[in-house]
Amino acid sequence: MSSVNLSQPTSRNIRSSILSPGKVSREEAEEAVRTMILWLGDDPLREGLLDTPARVVRAFEEWFSGYRLKPEEILSMTFEEVEGYAEPVTLRGIQFESYCEHHMAPIIGVVHISYIPDRKVVGLSKLARIVDLYAKRLQVQEKLTAQIANTVQAVLNPKGVAVMISAEHQCMSTRGVLKHGVDTITTQYTGEFSLDKSRQSQFVKLVTSGISR
Ligand SMILES: [Zn+2]
């Protein structure tokens, strides 16, 4: 490893990102993609690949847009005129795409969220946006599940939150053990969902009835 030359662009990228995460320039990110293309054995200067680094960086901005969002802003608008509605509000089958933090391979699946309001409710689309806020980052499914549940609990302060995620990990289906069609299922409960087992089984029954994934 003594041949590592810190004046090379790749090493400079790594060094600057360690020194100041999030401060890597677009140019440096594009250079890193060019390095990967070269490492694969292709020519980044051939016509078909010329604009690829710029496109990859733009795609990454979209796939990892969650780093730029704040949960407090998404969940700030709540409503209290719900005529005393106090039973769970459940969103079933919110589709998401994330990327595993070990291989940067896609994790594709669905999230089910339920919360028991304590007077205030939140716009339904906001819960879907919370999913994206955490999904569009480098993730492990266990952490994603906990982050969604804990954030809804902390910001909205309902009587309880339940989250279930069912997803396929492409780092397992397209490489390594090469097992297709395996769903990884994780759950996280807070408040009444955590204390009351009947609340939990109600939730599980509701979100798993009549759906295949
Ligand atoms: Zn992985």
Side-chain angles (χ1 to χ4, degrees):
M1 296 304 284
S2 58
S3 63
V4 170
N5 176 356
L6 289 179
S7 69
Q8 292 295 312
T10 311
S11 305
R12 200 174 61 232
N13 290 349
I14 293 165
R15 258 171 39 128
S16 58
S17 63
I18 289 168
L19 291 173
S20 52
K23 299 286 183 230
V24 174
S25 71
R26 175 175 290 270
E27 200 181 30
E28 285 174 313
E30 289 179 12
E31 192 54 43
V33 177
R34 243 170 249 123
T35 302
M36 285 295 281
I37 293 171
L38 268 174
W39 175 74
L40 292 171
D42 213 322
D43 173 12
L45 297 179
R46 72 177 172 83
E47 199 187 352
L49 291 175
L50 215 49
D51 295 329
T52 298
R55 283 194 213 97
V56 170
V57 168
R58 279 200 299 275
F60 267 52
E61 276 182 319
E62 218 175 306
W63 291 331
F64 297 101
S65 57
Y67 288 110
R68 301 192 295 273
L69 302 170
K70 290 195 170 61
E72 303 78 22
E73 287 171 12
I74 293 172
L75 294 176
S76 62
M77 181 90 88
T78 56
F79 308 92
E80 297 196 17
E81 284 184 37
V82 289
E83 301 283 334
Y85 183 86
E87 290 302 310
V89 177
T90 306
L91 272 79
R92 189 171 87 165
I94 304 165
Q95 295 188 356
F96 77 94
E97 295 95 40
S98 188
Y99 290 83
C100 86
E101 68 184 34
H102 303 131
H103 304 93
M104 297 178 77
I107 304 171
I108 294 173
V110 290
V111 182
H112 315 293
I113 306 180
S114 188
Y115 73 97
I116 306 164
D118 186 5
R119 293 182 304 277
K120 25 179 213 184
V121 298
V122 70
L124 300 176
S125 66
K126 307 292 194 236
L127 293 174
R129 289 191 64 202
I130 288 292
V131 171
D132 279 344
L133 180 145
Y134 289 113
K136 290 181 180 298
R137 299 179 181 199
L138 292 170
Q139 274 293 2
V140 291
Q141 186 175 326
E142 295 86 339
K143 186 167 79 176
L144 177 61
T145 314
Q147 282 176 326
I148 295 168
N150 295 340
T151 298
V152 175
Q153 182 62 56
V155 181
L156 189 60
N157 204 22
K159 289 178 183 159
V161 181
V163 174
M164 179 189 285
I165 299 183
S166 173
E168 184 168 318
H169 293 238
Q170 291 195 0
C171 62
M172 190 173 155
S173 62
T174 66
R175 59 161 293 288
V177 291
L178 291 169
K179 297 296 178 205
H180 289 270
V182 178
D183 287 332
T184 300
I185 298 167
T186 46
T187 50
Q188 178 88 2
Y189 302 108
T190 70
E192 282 186 25
F193 279 110
S194 173
L195 300 168
D196 184 345
K197 298 293 171 202
S198 68
R199 285 283 199 199
Q200 269 180 41
S201 48
Q202 252 176 8
F203 167 72
V204 172
K205 204 170 154 192
L206 194 63
V207 298
T208 56
S209 60
I211 47 172
S212 56
R213 179 172 276 286

